[in-house]
């Protein structure tokens, strides 16, 4: 859920060379059915499974909620591994670029909305987190023509805090642990807001730089065209002006010779 998706898709599949990474030629041959994409698909399939387990028997059975927590935990773990594998083995494909962020937001969104429906999590927390995630996604598209907003350490920490807090709310906790999960969620909300504002700042700066670079390129292009046109214009306009000047020079030479 942070930053640029790293899962992959593509052509005919290629085995990694010794050392763990593929050559450049193999990047475009990454199979759709590579390990990174499979983990992303598993995460997508876990979303409805998690919701069914969470709401089973009214949504308050500790055993079924433990099963739901296990599904949620597996989904969050695959989020860590599919990105790492895609980057390490150059398994980058169009499917992964689209499916990875969808899977990230689907599992977290399903957890937050479900917990709010059950009355375990205030709706304002769900609203803040989902609004931030949707807003940042739209903002990435807003600046993608100029640059890509990189995933930050704060964003990764935010994801960890959100996953930990949501997982604690899925479990049936009481006493000090119930109090602890509330404060963990508060930390997640603060990180969500702070990192969201930082992404907005980065997006505005990147867009300004991109627009400035485009204007500078347009100005250089216009100057180049003007430079190509100026010598021709000067040569054409130089004829009439040269006539009177050369005549005056000839008259001055004649006058000097007459005085001698």
């Amino acid at each position: 859920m942070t930053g640029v998706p790293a899962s992959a898709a593509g052509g005919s599949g290629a085995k990694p060379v010794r050392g763990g990474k593929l050559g450049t030629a193999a990047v475009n041959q990454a199979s759709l059915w590579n390990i990174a994409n499979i983990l992303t698909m598993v995460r997508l399939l876990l979303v409805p499974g998690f919701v069914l387990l969470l709401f089973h028997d009214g949504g308050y059975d500790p055993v079924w909620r433990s099963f739901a927590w296990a599904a949620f935990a597996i989904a969050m773990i695959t989020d860590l591994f599919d990105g790492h594998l895609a980057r390490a083995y150059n398994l980058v494909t169009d499917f992964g670029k689209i499916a990875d962020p969808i899977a990230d937001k689907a599992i977290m969104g399903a957890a937050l909305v479900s917990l709010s429906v059950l009355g375990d999590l205030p709706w304002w927390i769900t609203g803040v987190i989902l609004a931030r995630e949707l807003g940042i996604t739209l903002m990435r598209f807003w600046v993608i023509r100029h640059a890509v907003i990189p995933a930050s350490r704060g964003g990764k920490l935010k994801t960890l805090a959100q996953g930990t807090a949501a997982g604690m709310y899925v479990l049936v906790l009481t006493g000090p642990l119930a109090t602890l999960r509330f404060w963990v969620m508060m930390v997640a909300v603060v990180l969500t807001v702070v990192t969201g504002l930082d992404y907005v700042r980065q997006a505005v700066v990147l867009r300004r730089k991109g627009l400035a670079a485009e204007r500078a390129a347009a100005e250089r292009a216009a100057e180049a065209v003007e430079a190509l046109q100026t010598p021709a214009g000067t040569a054409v306009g130089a004829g009439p002006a040269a006539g009177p000047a050369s005549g005056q020079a000839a008259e001055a030479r004649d006058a000097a010779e007459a005085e001698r």
Side-chain angles (χ1 to χ4, degrees):
M1 292 177 57
T2 61
V4 179
S7 299
S12 61
K15 295 181 180 179
V17 296
R18 188 181 299 275
K21 294 194 177 182
L22 294 176
T24 304
V27 174
N28 295 328
Q29 298 178 1
S31 170
L32 172 65
W33 296 101
N34 62 63
I35 184 63
N37 280 351
I38 291 174
L39 290 175
T40 299
M41 292 182 221
V42 168
R43 193 157 74 257
L44 284 169
L45 292 175
L46 282 172
V47 174
F50 161 77
V51 174
L52 290 175
L53 290 170
L54 183 61
F55 281 95
H56 191 274
D57 199 17
Y60 297 102
D61 188 296
V63 175
W64 285 104
R65 289 188 70 144
S66 296
F67 291 149
W69 176 87
F72 180 80
I74 293 172
M76 298 303 295
I77 291 172
T78 60
D79 181 28
L80 299 176
F81 281 102
D82 65 353
H84 173 74
L85 291 171
R87 288 188 295 270
Y89 292 93
N90 292 325
L91 302 175
V92 178
T93 60
D94 291 336
F95 172 82
K97 293 177 181 179
I98 296 172
D100 186 71
I102 292 176
D104 295 343
K105 291 171 177 54
I107 187 64
M108 183 57 67
L112 295 173
V113 171
S114 297
L115 289 169
S116 293
V117 169
L118 290 172
D120 295 334
L121 187 68
W123 276 105
W124 72 264
I125 294 178
T126 298
V128 167
I129 294 177
L130 293 185
R132 185 269 191 196
E133 298 300 336
L134 178 60
I136 295 304
T137 299
L138 295 176
M139 189 163 296
R140 287 184 185 278
F141 286 108
W142 182 54
V143 300
I144 195 170
R145 184 166 63 92
H146 306 289
V148 175
I149 303 177
S152 64
R153 287 186 178 181
K156 295 177 182 178
L157 187 59
K158 176 268 305 179
T159 300
L160 177 61
Q162 285 182 358
T164 302
M168 294 179 72
Y169 269 88
V170 170
L171 292 171
V172 179
L173 301 178
T174 58
L177 289 178
T179 303
L180 177 62
R181 72 181 181 183
F182 170 79
W183 290 110
V184 173
M185 182 60 78
M186 289 301 99
V187 170
V189 171
V190 171
L191 289 173
T192 297
V193 174
V194 171
T195 57
L197 294 175
D198 182 61
Y199 276 122
V200 171
R201 179 192 62 79
Q202 291 186 57
V204 171
V205 171
L206 289 174
R207 183 172 173 80
R208 286 178 179 175
K209 288 182 178 179
L211 293 174
E214 289 179 358
R215 286 194 296 268
E219 290 174 359
R220 286 195 297 269
E223 291 174 356
V225 172
E226 184 179 353
L228 291 174
Q229 294 175 346
T230 299
T234 302
V236 173
S246 53
Q248 293 175 359
E251 292 176 0
R253 286 195 299 271
D254 293 340
E257 290 176 0
E259 289 178 358
R260 287 199 299 269

